[in-house]
Amino acid sequence: MSKQIKKLTMAGSLASVVLLSGCSSIVTDHGLDYQDARSSEVELQLPPGRHDVTDKLIIPNEDRIANLEATGEFEAPRAPKPYLPMAYVPMVLGQYDVTFEIPTNLAQSKQLLSNYFTSFSGEAVVFDQVSDTELVSAPIQFKQPGTWAKLWNSITRLEPNKYRLTIDFEPGQNTTTAKISLIEISNEGESLVDLTLDEVSAGQMVDAWSHISKDLTRETALLSKQGQKPVLKSRIWTNQDGKLALYLGKEADLASLNNYIRNTSGVHITRETPPELSLVPQDKLAQVGDIVDFKVPLGPIAKSEEVVLFKVRRRNLDDVNWTERSYPYDLKRQQEGYFLTIDAAATENPTLTSYRILSLLAK
């Protein structure tokens, strides 16, 4: 029985092969016809009023967008940090002292100045109250020594000079006048710091002024202080980086700003593209290549005198006084209005230099 089944199975397989081979010769295989297919020559007719179909990215207002030519590595744009208002605190930088007219009472004025110098020095600044209207600090490290000064101190084992702050207060009706003097303590004795020569110390006084002005503005913004009379706002504002700017109002443009600068006594526009200003006319600006005197100090013989050896050409502006430089300025806009900014980064004390120029323009 099994042999007959096997014979029938083999016969069925042979019949299937013969049948399939016969069908393939009779029925045509169209499986590969697509390789020889050709597109139709019929052209589509679009309805009237329609635009031709184009395969391109549609960008709104593309004709108004300027072409970008890459000049280097791409840097993601960052929004400028906004400028914040400050309280109006008149400041007078004298030769040996600085005077603040703080629009608050005596107790708060003492607290504001104590908090600033404590946070600035990074150590507990102890103010001894000599009287109700006078504070004197313990010797502190008011200025951080430079690299060479640190090296010299480590070699000689000499301590860097320290400073003592003396603050005299004069309470008024709605304000408190604070006069700050800085005394340098060295191995040779004590002496008042000349703020007209020591610009680092003068710059720290400007930072103290900015700190006090911002703190007073925050105080009046607190909900618990809403019943108090708000302080008068200053025309000089600051941002989170400590940079200063002059508030111009809600409406301003570069042409009106240039006219404003030209009408300000003691300020000159030295270039219009890009815009720059200075405190001296164009012909008195210090330039690279100018013929200048090469001077050397006389040393211990006469500390304040110098001798001229010969004439040289100025190679850079590193030794140029800030009043003989030209500073780029810009008109910036934010939600509160327009601001004038001064780029004084080329000087050793940019905050002090920008304050000096902006205070002239704020008058």
Side-chain angles (χ1 to χ4, degrees):
M1 191 69 178
S2 61
K3 291 182 178 180
Q4 290 180 353
I5 293 174
K6 290 181 180 178
K7 290 179 179 180
L8 290 173
T9 303
M10 292 179 65
S13 299
L14 291 173
S16 299
V17 171
V18 173
L19 180 62
L20 290 174
S21 60
C23 289
S24 62
S25 60
I26 298 173
V27 180
T28 305
D29 184 10
H30 295 281
L32 300 177
D33 286 354
Y34 71 92
Q35 296 181 354
D36 299 327
R38 294 289 182 270
S39 62
S40 130
E41 299 297 333
V42 178
E43 206 173 308
L44 294 177
Q45 298 295 329
L46 297 176
R50 293 294 300 272
H51 297 286
D52 293 338
V53 177
T54 56
D55 186 14
K56 66 179 256 185
L57 178 64
I58 304 299
I59 302 176
N61 300 321
E62 184 178 6
D63 56 335
R64 296 166 133 193
I65 301 174
N67 294 328
L68 175 63
E69 296 180 2
T71 57
E73 186 178 353
F74 175 76
E75 183 178 355
R78 292 175 176 83
K81 295 184 178 179
Y83 290 95
L84 305 173
M86 301 193 301
Y88 179 61
V89 181
M91 177 176 64
V92 178
L93 280 169
Q95 184 175 5
Y96 296 106
D97 55 48
V98 58
T99 303
F100 299 146
E101 191 175 332
I102 308 174
T104 186
N105 55 41
L106 177 61
Q108 189 175 6
S109 299
K110 289 181 179 180
Q111 190 65 38
L112 286 170
L113 289 172
S114 299
N115 290 345
Y116 170 75
F117 288 113
T118 300
S119 61
F120 159 74
S121 63
E123 55 188 77
V125 179
V126 180
F127 279 96
D128 298 325
Q129 184 162 335
V130 179
S131 65
D132 292 340
T133 59
E134 185 179 3
L135 295 178
V136 178
S137 76
I140 61 173
Q141 192 70 45
F142 192 75
K143 294 190 297 183
Q144 296 299 327
T147 304
W148 293 111
K150 290 180 180 178
L151 178 62
W152 174 254
N153 292 332
S154 64
I155 294 174
T156 60
R157 297 292 190 270
L158 295 175
E159 291 290 331
N161 296 344
K162 292 196 172 183
Y163 299 83
R164 182 168 61 247
L165 287 161
T166 301
I167 309 177
D168 293 317
F169 297 94
E170 183 180 344
Q173 185 176 0
N174 296 316
T175 61
T176 302
T177 302
K179 181 180 291 186
I180 306 176
S181 302
L182 191 62
I183 300 172
E184 184 177 7
I185 305 172
S186 63
N187 296 328
E188 300 177 356
E190 299 183 359
S191 60
L192 283 169
V193 175
D194 190 343
L195 297 177
T196 59
L197 301 177
D198 191 343
E199 293 200 344
V200 175
S201 298
Q204 297 299 344
M205 296 301 180
V206 174
D207 288 340
W209 165 82
S210 177
H211 174 85
I212 293 171
S213 301
K214 287 187 292 186
D215 271 9
L216 286 172
T217 307
R218 294 192 196 100
E219 279 286 325
T220 57
L222 296 176
L223 291 176
S224 59
K225 309 283 185 174
Q226 289 298 306
Q228 295 184 1
K229 182 180 179 181
V231 296
L232 182 64
K233 296 295 191 298
S234 172
R235 287 194 63 193
I236 299 178
W237 292 29
T238 184
N239 66 0
Q240 297 176 0
D241 293 337
K243 295 181 180 179
L244 304 177
L246 181 65
Y247 179 66
L248 300 174
K250 294 290 186 180
E251 299 293 335
D253 54 35
L254 192 58
S256 62
L257 175 59
N258 290 341
N259 291 332
Y260 179 79
I261 294 174
R262 290 188 181 96
N263 294 330
T264 302
S265 177
V267 184
H268 307 268
I269 294 180
T270 55
R271 184 184 298 176
E272 293 191 1
T273 307
E276 293 186 4
L277 57 81
S278 71
L279 302 186
V280 294
Q282 177 73 37
D283 56 346
K284 294 185 179 180
L285 283 177
Q287 303 286 346
V288 175
D290 291 344
I291 304 298
V292 296
D293 296 331
F294 183 82
K295 300 178 181 180
V296 294
L298 294 178
I301 302 174
K303 294 183 179 180
S304 60
E305 294 184 9
E306 296 176 328
V307 59
V308 179
L309 295 183
F310 45 80
K311 301 281 188 180
V312 295
R313 285 188 180 274
R314 180 179 282 126
R315 301 180 61 183
N316 52 55
L317 302 179
D318 294 343
D319 60 339
V320 174
N321 191 279
W322 70 275
T323 57
E324 300 176 9
R325 288 176 175 267
S326 182
Y327 301 97
Y329 65 92
D330 194 11
L331 181 67
K332 295 187 179 297
R333 181 181 180 272
Q334 67 180 49
Q335 185 176 2
E336 290 80 5
Y338 291 85
F339 294 86
L340 167 65
T341 59
I342 305 292
D343 184 6
T347 61
E348 294 183 0
N349 299 281
T351 304
L352 176 62
T353 303
S354 59
Y355 169 78
R356 285 168 166 168
I357 298 175
L358 293 176
S359 59
L360 288 175
L361 294 168
K363 293 181 179 179

